[in-house]
Each structure stands twice: as structure tokens, then as C-alpha cells.
Amino acid sequence: GQQLNQSPQSMFIQEGEDVSMNCTSSSIFNTWLWYKQDPGEGPVLLIALYKAGELTSNGRLTAQFGITRKDSFLNISASIPSDVGIYFCAGFNYGGSQGNLIFGKGTKLSVKP
Amino acid sequence: GAGVSQSPRYKVTKRGQDVALRCDPISGHVSLYWYRQALGQGPEFLTYFNYEAQQDKSGLPNDRFSAERPEGSISTLTIQRTEQRDSAMYRCASSSPPNNEQFFGPGTRLTVL
């Protein structure tokens, strides 16, 4: 199935460092979502973006909806051990014939304590 | 309920058997989605419902897969004559207007022997 290009695939960082990951698509979306998935759990919604150019924060997380509507990035500031997990971007076109999310393959984040 | 629930959490079956996976969405949510997630991948869309109407089933891999949501609440994903390649995590999500953010359940891990 169709998937977004998400990078990096994995990263190891020192606790306290900032993290950045991004997602690109060949097609436009009117909504971008970022999820975090812990082992054995379902994806948990972190941030939702609804407008091109929008910059939204949720605590130490900041995400932006690219102006072309084909990309998005997620930043995590001052990472801590509990940030470990897999982060997925997802694109969505609400109101069209499609109701489904298109997911990236995920960025696996590991933090060295 | 407080969140999306799925049952069973784990299902092991023999090849050729039929299985039924259940999803109980967040109470009052209009839309319900089924996804399949392989190890190391993001979820891939199978089908979705608005109320009891199946809006899109383009992601169902073949005619052994079917889904229903007869009363617009609980949904069942049925896989007939299971094959080993059907082994995966099956995830359900639900959403409602205005934002239509999708909230995921914990998933059902299906193993076909």
C-alpha cells in the first residue's frame, strides 16, 4: 500500500538532546498527524495539524505542516528516556472519498540514559 | 467506553480456519477504521465505516476479508480460510467530527499456524 517517506528510520541520542524527524509525500494532504507507539501498544496521537504552514506545540513536542502540504516535521526538545518508542507520521484527507490515514514507516527513537 | 478496545488481544489459529476480530470504538464515535500492521511498518488501511455504512473497503487484500458494523458501534473483521500470510497485528481506530482525529485500540495479534 501507499506509504509516506519518513526519516530517519532510527536514531540514538543522548538524553537532553533535541530530536528532529520528518515526513514527505508525493501527494498533498489536508491533515497531518504524528503518533507515538510503545511496544505492545497501539499508536497514540501526539499532535494534529490542519493547515499548511501551521506550527503546533504539545509540551516538548513541536510539529509543522509544510507549506506545500506534502511534508511535515516533528521536533522533540530536551529528550528524556520515556521518549523512546516509534514515531509515525500520517497524512489524511478529510472530506474526500478516502477516510483512511496513510502512514510512514516510523522513526525508532532510542535514548542513551 | 474510555478508549477503543479490541478483542481478543491475541489469536492463534490453524490455517484454513475462520477468525472474527472485534472492535469496540470510543462511545459515540461516528467513524471506525480497520488497519493491519506488519512488524517494522506503519499501519496499512483495510476498510472504514461511517455509522453502519462501509465507506471504503479498497484496502481489504482479497475476498476472504470482510467487515461489518451493523448497528453503527461495534465492528467485526472476519477472515475466512486463514492463511499464514494473514498473520499480523490488526488495529482498529475510531474518530468523530469536527477534527476526525483517529484514536487507536491496542490491536489483535493474529498468528496463523
Side-chain angles (χ1 to χ4, degrees):
Chain A
Q2 180 186 359
Q3 288 201 331
L4 306 176
N5 295 315
Q6 187 172 347
S7 64
Q9 288 187 340
S10 63
M11 53 195 316
F12 290 86
I13 60 167
Q14 283 292 129
E15 184 177 352
E17 286 183 345
D18 296 345
V19 173
S20 184
M21 59 192 79
N22 68 78
C23 215
T24 59
S25 170
S26 58
S27 54
I28 63 174
F29 293 105
N30 61 29
T31 302
W32 280 91
L33 305 170
W34 284 92
Y35 288 85
K36 181 182 181 229
Q37 186 170 351
D38 292 325
E41 302 294 327
V44 174
L45 183 64
L46 299 174
I47 289 183
L49 302 157
Y50 303 104
K51 195 165 62 174
E54 178 182 357
L55 186 71
T56 297
S57 292
N58 178 8
R60 293 180 295 107
L61 306 178
T62 302
Q64 184 158 30
F65 191 148
I67 197 73
T68 65
R69 296 203 285 159
K70 291 184 178 182
D71 62 315
S72 177
F73 73 74
L74 175 71
N75 283 344
I76 305 172
S77 62
S79 56
I80 59 177
S82 62
D83 290 334
V84 163
I86 302 176
Y87 292 79
F88 290 101
C89 61
F92 178 59
N93 281 320
Y94 175 61
S97 59
Q98 282 188 312
N100 54 297
L101 296 174
I102 307 297
F103 280 86
K105 292 188 176 183
T107 295
K108 185 175 182 180
L109 183 64
S110 303
V111 179
K112 300 174 188 176
Chain B
V4 179
S5 60
Q6 292 184 245
S7 62
R9 291 291 307 272
Y10 301 91
K11 178 69 177 178
V12 180
T13 190
K14 290 184 179 179
R15 188 176 55 185
Q17 297 294 308
D18 298 349
V19 296
L21 312 180
R22 172 182 164 132
C23 172
D24 200 341
I26 293 173
S27 179
H29 270 195
V30 169
S31 301
L32 184 148
Y33 309 79
W34 283 100
Y35 293 83
R36 181 165 69 174
Q37 186 174 15
L39 202 61
Q41 302 288 324
E44 290 194 355
F45 171 76
L46 296 176
T47 185
Y48 92 99
F49 296 81
N50 282 340
Y51 301 103
E52 73 282 357
Q54 192 170 20
Q55 299 292 321
D56 184 350
K57 53 182 182 178
S58 62
L60 295 176
N62 52 62
D63 60 7
R64 295 185 297 106
F65 288 72
S66 63
E68 62 174 9
R69 194 187 185 200
E71 297 179 1
S73 179
I74 293 168
S75 176
T76 302
L77 176 70
T78 301
I79 309 173
Q80 295 178 311
R81 304 181 304 281
T82 51
E83 301 176 4
Q84 285 185 329
R85 60 179 172 157
D86 299 334
S87 296
M89 178 70 80
Y90 289 83
R91 296 203 187 275
C92 173
S94 69
S95 72
S96 251
N99 292 333
N100 285 284
E101 296 163 0
Q102 293 184 25
F103 296 90
F104 282 80
T108 295
R109 168 71 67 189
L110 175 66
T111 302
V112 182
L113 302 176

